[in-house]
Amino acid sequence: RPLHTVEAFLRLVGQPHRADARDVVSSPPTDVADVALLLKLVTTLDRQDPDAATRLLRTLRVRHAVVSFTARTLGGRAGRAGGMARTYRARLERLVVDAGRVRDVAEVAVPNELVFVLALEPPRA
């Protein structure tokens, strides 16, 4: 139950929230929210459908999206002397351009992950 930790934390800090598991490709969320956490999701979506992450980012009704990528291999090493980081930064840049509604991008320092906070314009009708 991976969402149990998220639920427990948000309850602890008194933050209104909704956390659920769903297939965002076939059933994208339609709720209005402040933040969507797309943690390590883009590469998974890319394997299912190369346009899925872009479609999701275009339709999410949120002000911010937090997108992360792993920066380490399964063995714990930094991926190919920084190659993973370059690849994932380039993927994020393409996603930002293709989504067409990102106002600002901030990179956040987190050990073993590349984390980006995207400020979004309202979705297009």
Side-chain angles (χ1 to χ4, degrees):
R1 295 183 30 169
L3 293 179
H4 177 73
T5 303
V6 172
E7 291 273 351
F9 172 76
L10 293 172
R11 248 189 330 273
L12 179 70
V13 297
Q15 180 64 43
H17 65 280
R18 176 174 171 201
D20 61 4
R22 72 168 65 214
D23 179 347
V24 295
V25 174
S26 65
S27 177
T30 59
D31 307 75
V32 175
D34 289 324
V35 179
L37 301 176
L38 309 178
L39 306 177
K40 298 181 184 177
L41 181 63
V42 172
T43 53
T44 300
L45 292 178
D46 286 348
R47 283 190 291 275
Q48 289 182 23
D49 175 348
D51 297 321
T54 298
R55 282 194 316 273
L56 178 62
L57 199 55
R58 282 181 182 157
T59 60
L60 283 174
R61 298 175 63 196
V62 297
R63 294 183 356 200
H64 295 90
V66 179
V67 178
S68 75
F69 300 90
T70 188
R72 301 258 176 213
T73 65
L74 288 175
R77 294 185 316 270
R80 296 184 312 275
M84 283 176 86
R86 276 192 302 280
T87 297
Y88 291 145
R89 281 189 179 94
R91 176 62 185 105
L92 181 81
E93 289 173 14
R94 283 194 324 276
L95 182 61
V96 164
V97 169
D98 293 346
R101 61 180 286 230
V102 178
R103 285 187 289 118
D104 192 30
V105 177
E107 185 170 345
V108 180
V110 175
N112 302 324
E113 291 206 35
L114 293 171
V115 179
F116 303 92
V117 179
L118 311 180
L120 303 175
E121 297 289 342
R124 297 179 182 143

